[in-house]
Amino acid sequence: MADHYQNNIYNQGDYPLQEDDAASDVTEGHDEEDQMYEGEYQGIPHPDDTKAAQRAACSAASDLEELSEQYEYIMEECGHGKFQWMLFIVLGLALMADGVECFVVAFVLPSAEKDLCLSNAEKGMLGLIVFLSMMVGAFLWGGLADKVGRRQCLILALSINCIFAFMSSLAQGYSFFLFFRLLSGIGIGGTAPIVYSYFSEFLQMNKRGEHLSWLCMFWMIGGIYASFTAWGIIPRYGWGFSMGTEFQFHAWRVFVLVAALPAIASLVGLTFMPESPRFLLENGKHDDAWMILKQVHDTNWRAKGQPEKVFTVVHIKTPKTTEDGFFEVQSATRTPVQRWAVRSLTLCKLVCRNTDWSTISSSESGLDLFCIIVASHVFYSFYGLSVWFPDMIKHLQHEEYVSKVIHKKRVENMIFDFPLENQIHEEVEYIRDKFINIEMKSVKFKDSLFEDCHFENIRSSETVFENCTIHSTVFYNTDLWEAKFIDCEMENTTFEHNKHGCHLDTAKENDVLIYLVSFLGSLAVLPGNIISALYMEKIGRVKIIGGSMLISAGCTFFLFLSFSQSAIIALQCLFCGVSAAAWNGIEVVTVELYPASKRATASGVLNALCKLAAVLSSSIFASCVGITKAIPILLSFTALVCGGLVALNLPDTQQKILQ
């Protein structure tokens, strides 16, 4: 077979750009003097075109199969070298930006909630919107990448992410911040499905599994980058500037800008990268694809010290495209806006058709369902426990931090000029007392009396007055506003020069724990990435996925025996490291299972469903913190065991030519 295809694609004549030989097969039979069909400008195919499409359908499958064989031989001639490594870095930065996006809101919330005065419901919505927007982005950009192009869609997606990330750093209100993070997430959500499809089409068969797994490592690097930069920037909350009372720019906003740097770097690098030649061939652009393949060949062999090596491919069989072409609108009959509208409508129809289940399904029955089950179970457990681990550690810390209770006392003529922290004052009478120049943290006044008291220059966090009676008391230059007085009775009480803005709270909002746990969790993914990259080709995709999921299930089961912070952190690191190998295997199988015309779409749909699973698990697991740890552990254990068993039914695509 090798001799047959070599005879087809090598040594068949002169340079392909000569006038007679350069014509793509897709243009064969075209008569320039054909009269324009009257429905053409409306996007309606000519009846003769429909008949031609039906006749061509019989040979389309064989054309695509032959193209796949040819393309594999061409990539072997191009070799693996400098070009692939440059593309590896550029696409890795895009995937790194995807990893950063998952951490940005979690890191900025403790500080942003004070700038934006967020309620618990609003904070929950911000955390939820990240995954929902990325879910929409994966579905949208995956479909577009198969119709418009991998490179072009990735550039658009990263541009949207960068623009709206910048705007979110300037947003002074919750609504605008939420809206800009939503659009930023939609942009970055398209990177993963496009990146894997894009890179796989520059790799030969024996390199795909290993190098796609190395590429997955950049997601972990994104998590480390986000944790490290957040740790170095956000705790310096006092840094910043303001323009009056309407515009505040604090350190957390600087972190939002810094978090967008990987996306910006990838965007710059993509301007020097070409489109996927496989995509161009699928769309009948023979000459453009040939030039790119020659560029890949020459770049690699020059870097290896063999500039004299000639690219011998002179012809690539291109499948005839009859169904998915855009219908051009004649400029003489329609305005530019109308032409744009028709083209956009046609594109939407093609994308919707491409994402239809019957169209996206692979040729082997049931494999789509198996892929979805395995991937969603991994994401369900990974993201659910990623939320549960730090919350559980905080809960254990809170249990160890027992509040001091002051009960039924009478305090008269006392000056409180020392900090009050982690205290409950219950049924205490304060008569003619002064609270001056102090900080209150986690202080609760319950069923207490304040009479002729004076509060001045108070900074507080998590401090409330519940069912208190407050008479003839003055609050001067404090941040104790109405929300902190719950069911209180006030009489002859005044508030003077009250501080405005939630950012004046003095909470230790930048607890090192949130950065440390995220940093260790991301760093722990490194061993899983290395193992999967080194053994993806030796062990096989199916064994990597199934074995990793079953080992991860064992890690979750041992959580029943962990009652300390250090034990939970250790199990988190082990779980993240093992889960990464399964994650990498799923990405490789998804790319290899689907044909080029559906590859990015299938990957986008799969990523979107996985993000939905992440949303569900994050909500369920977070609600169990402080109540029971049995539900999160059992749900994760069951999901991973079931997913691992289902993974054994996936095909091993190790020796499969990229269709």
Side-chain angles (χ1 to χ4, degrees):
M1 181 176 288
D3 293 338
H4 168 71
Y5 287 110
Q6 286 173 356
N7 290 335
N8 279 337
I9 61 178
Y10 300 137
N11 304 321
Q12 290 193 10
D14 296 329
Y15 187 76
L17 297 184
Q18 290 182 358
E19 197 170 304
D20 293 335
D21 296 332
S24 303
D25 289 347
V26 73
T27 62
E28 289 181 2
H30 175 68
D31 187 355
E32 296 180 356
E33 296 180 357
D34 286 348
Q35 292 184 354
M36 186 186 73
Y37 167 54
E38 63 179 0
E40 181 179 358
Y41 66 88
Q42 297 176 345
I44 304 173
H46 194 283
D48 292 342
D49 295 337
T50 305
K51 294 178 182 178
Q54 293 172 348
R55 290 194 299 270
C58 299
S59 61
S62 60
D63 287 349
L64 288 171
E65 184 176 351
E66 186 173 350
L67 171 62
S68 301
E69 299 274 0
Q70 290 181 356
Y71 194 79
E72 181 62 34
Y73 286 119
I74 294 171
M75 291 312 303
E76 288 178 2
E77 178 174 343
C78 291
H80 187 93
K82 179 180 178 180
F83 180 89
Q84 280 83 1
W85 286 113
M86 290 190 301
L87 185 63
F88 175 81
I89 298 298
V90 172
L91 297 183
L93 288 168
L95 198 59
M96 181 177 169
D98 181 276
V100 171
E101 185 73 16
C102 295
F103 293 92
V104 169
V105 170
F107 286 151
V108 304
L109 264 183
S111 298
E113 67 173 308
K114 309 205 179 312
D115 261 7
L116 306 176
C117 298
L118 303 181
S119 64
N120 288 332
E122 290 171 335
K123 288 188 290 184
M125 178 57 69
L126 268 176
L128 182 66
I129 206 68
V130 173
F131 291 112
L132 290 178
S133 60
M134 293 178 74
M135 179 181 72
V136 174
F139 184 84
L140 172 67
W141 294 110
L144 285 173
D146 280 332
K147 294 303 174 186
V148 178
R150 281 79 161 111
R151 175 180 175 273
Q152 184 174 346
C153 283
L154 189 55
I155 288 176
L156 288 173
L158 289 173
S159 298
I160 290 174
N161 172 250
C162 294
I163 291 170
F164 289 104
F166 172 76
M167 296 181 72
S168 70
S169 72
L170 302 178
Q172 298 297 302
Y174 167 74
S175 298
F176 281 111
F177 185 75
L178 180 71
F179 178 68
F180 292 144
R181 292 314 303 182
L182 169 67
L183 295 180
S184 175
I186 290 176
I188 204 64
T191 56
I194 298 176
V195 160
Y196 292 119
S197 301
Y198 191 6
F199 191 51
S200 68
E201 292 168 353
F202 285 95
L203 297 173
Q204 56 201 71
M205 184 171 60
N206 63 345
K207 300 286 186 181
R208 273 201 316 266
E210 177 184 352
H211 289 275
L212 285 173
S213 296
W214 287 123
L215 185 65
C216 292
M217 187 171 61
F218 277 92
W219 196 94
M220 173 272 299
I221 296 175
I224 293 177
Y225 172 80
S227 305
F228 185 77
T229 53
W231 197 347
I233 295 174
I234 297 180
R236 290 165 170 70
Y237 189 73
W239 182 91
F241 66 89
S242 61
M243 298 174 62
T245 59
E246 300 300 324
F247 185 86
Q248 305 284 338
F249 197 91
H250 292 115
W252 69 267
R253 299 180 185 274
V254 177
F255 166 69
V256 173
L257 294 177
V258 172
L261 291 180
I264 295 173
S266 178
L267 192 58
V268 173
L270 280 170
T271 60
F272 300 97
M273 293 292 113
E275 180 58 86
S276 164
R278 184 58 190 272
F279 167 80
L280 296 174
L281 290 172
E282 290 287 334
N283 289 272
K285 299 179 180 179
H286 171 282
D287 301 336
D288 293 337
W290 187 92
M291 292 296 293
I292 292 171
L293 289 168
K294 185 177 185 303
Q295 175 190 348
V296 175
H297 174 277
D298 294 347
T299 301
N300 287 340
W301 290 108
R302 278 198 301 266
K304 294 177 182 179
Q306 301 183 42
E308 71 283 353
K309 193 172 180 65
V310 178
F311 185 52
T312 59
V313 177
V314 295
H315 181 77
I316 309 171
K317 184 168 181 61
T318 308
K320 293 179 172 60
T321 57
T322 57
E323 179 185 1
D324 290 345
F326 290 123
F327 298 106
E328 294 294 338
V329 182
Q330 300 300 317
S331 59
T333 58
R334 289 292 179 98
T335 66
V337 174
Q338 290 172 319
R339 292 198 301 275
W340 174 85
V342 171
R343 288 177 61 85
S344 299
L345 181 61
T346 304
L347 177 60
C348 291
K349 289 180 179 178
L350 293 176
V351 170
C352 291
R353 188 186 310 164
N354 214 37
T355 53
D356 179 74
W357 181 263
S358 61
T359 307
I360 196 177
S361 295
S362 61
S363 57
E364 300 180 60
S365 177
L367 295 182
D368 309 280
L369 182 60
F370 288 157
C371 278
I372 290 172
I373 291 174
V374 174
S376 60
H377 280 54
V378 171
F379 274 67
Y380 180 88
S381 301
F382 183 86
Y383 281 109
L385 289 179
S386 295
V387 171
W388 184 80
F389 280 128
D391 285 350
M392 190 63 187
I393 293 172
K394 287 181 180 179
H395 176 69
L396 292 175
Q397 284 185 330
H398 181 72
E399 286 185 337
E400 296 173 359
Y401 192 48
V402 181
S403 296
K404 178 181 178 182
V405 179
I406 301 173
H407 186 64
K408 290 187 176 180
K409 285 190 175 183
R410 183 181 177 91
V411 182
E412 294 186 58
N413 300 314
M414 182 172 177
I415 298 177
F416 291 85
D417 55 359
F418 48 87
L420 301 180
E421 183 175 353
N422 199 45
Q423 298 178 2
I424 298 177
H425 297 236
E426 189 171 3
E427 298 184 27
V428 179
E429 296 180 358
Y430 296 94
I431 311 297
R432 295 181 298 278
D433 297 317
K434 294 183 178 181
F435 300 79
I436 300 177
N437 298 324
I438 64 173
E439 296 180 355
M440 297 181 178
K441 178 186 177 183
S442 299
V443 179
K444 183 176 183 179
F445 297 96
K446 184 177 181 181
D447 300 320
S448 297
L449 170 67
F450 295 86
E451 188 165 333
D452 293 324
C453 293
H454 185 84
F455 291 80
E456 183 174 347
N457 295 333
I458 305 297
R459 294 170 64 88
S460 66
S461 66
E462 300 177 10
T463 297
V464 295
F465 296 75
E466 184 177 322
N467 198 31
C468 295
T469 302
I470 305 174
H471 292 164
S472 303
T473 297
V474 175
F475 294 87
Y476 182 85
N477 195 31
T478 71
D479 59 2
L480 302 173
W481 56 85
E482 183 179 353
K484 297 194 176 185
F485 296 90
I486 304 172
D487 298 326
C488 292
E489 178 185 339
M490 295 188 181
E491 182 179 340
N492 196 28
T493 298
T494 58
F495 293 83
E496 299 180 7
H497 300 285
N498 224 31
K499 298 178 182 179
H500 296 284
C502 306
H503 62 279
L504 295 171
D505 279 9
T506 60
K508 297 292 184 182
E509 68 274 358
N510 300 299
D511 191 342
V512 68
L513 178 69
I514 188 175
Y515 308 118
L516 180 61
V517 172
S518 298
F519 178 82
L520 292 176
S522 299
L523 189 61
V525 175
L526 180 60
N529 274 291
I530 294 175
I531 292 172
S532 64
L534 294 177
Y535 293 97
M536 189 69 72
E537 300 294 345
K538 298 177 182 178
I539 298 178
R541 284 76 160 136
V542 174
K543 292 180 181 179
I544 287 283
I545 298 171
S548 299
M549 293 184 72
L550 293 177
I551 295 174
S552 299
C555 295
T556 61
F557 186 78
F558 281 109
L559 287 170
F560 276 119
L561 306 177
S562 59
F563 298 97
S564 65
Q565 298 177 41
S566 57
I568 290 179
I569 292 175
L571 285 171
Q572 178 204 14
C573 293
L574 181 60
F575 172 80
C576 291
V578 176
S579 298
W583 197 342
N584 294 357
I586 292 168
E587 294 289 359
V588 173
V589 169
T590 304
V591 166
E592 295 176 334
L593 188 61
Y594 292 90
S597 60
K598 315 291 182 186
R599 185 169 295 123
T601 302
S603 184
V605 171
L606 193 67
N607 272 272
L609 293 175
C610 289
K611 290 297 189 295
L612 179 60
V615 170
L616 294 176
S617 64
S618 300
S619 303
I620 295 171
F621 287 26
S623 64
C624 294
V625 175
I627 301 175
T628 176
K629 66 178 182 180
I631 293 178
I633 295 173
L634 289 176
L635 286 175
S636 297
F637 179 80
T638 304
L640 289 168
V641 170
C642 293
L645 295 176
V646 173
L648 299 177
N649 293 295
L650 289 173
D652 197 334
T653 54
Q654 185 171 351
Q655 299 299 322
K656 183 176 181 180
I657 292 177
L658 210 60
Q659 298 297 311

